[in-house]
Amino acid sequence: MKIKEYLKRNGISQTYISRENGIELPKLNLALNGKRRFTFEEYTIICGALKVNTDKFLKPRLPEERGE
């Protein structure tokens, strides 16, 4: 996941993010490892703590074409 890579590259611990945002460490760890999804609120809080725009870790997706 892009957030996990960003944290590692910048020497930011999951514990720091958990403490700064009030997201329980086990929940944060599961989300960073792809085992659960962040809520929109959690995601925006993390971006705020990292001082990055919310589009930093998102990749635009187009709806799939339906074959009719």
Side-chain angles (χ1 to χ4, degrees):
M1 172 169 256
K2 291 181 180 184
I3 296 173
K4 185 176 179 179
E5 293 166 12
Y6 181 88
L7 295 176
K8 188 173 183 175
R9 266 195 322 265
N10 291 284
I12 302 168
S13 72
Q14 292 182 26
T15 303
Y16 169 80
I17 294 298
S18 176
R19 271 192 250 139
E20 288 294 306
N21 298 302
I23 300 170
E24 297 171 16
L25 187 56
K27 284 176 72 173
L28 177 64
N29 186 271
L30 286 172
L32 291 174
N33 287 299
K35 307 267 191 222
R36 73 177 280 273
R37 291 179 184 239
F38 285 116
T39 65
F40 182 72
E41 183 177 357
E42 289 170 339
Y43 176 74
T44 58
I45 289 170
I46 288 169
C47 289
L50 296 174
K51 296 177 177 53
V52 298
N53 290 329
T54 54
D55 64 349
K56 171 83 174 166
F57 305 108
L58 298 176
K59 180 180 177 184
R61 294 188 306 179
L62 298 175
E64 293 181 35
E65 289 186 36
R66 295 182 182 173
E68 296 180 14

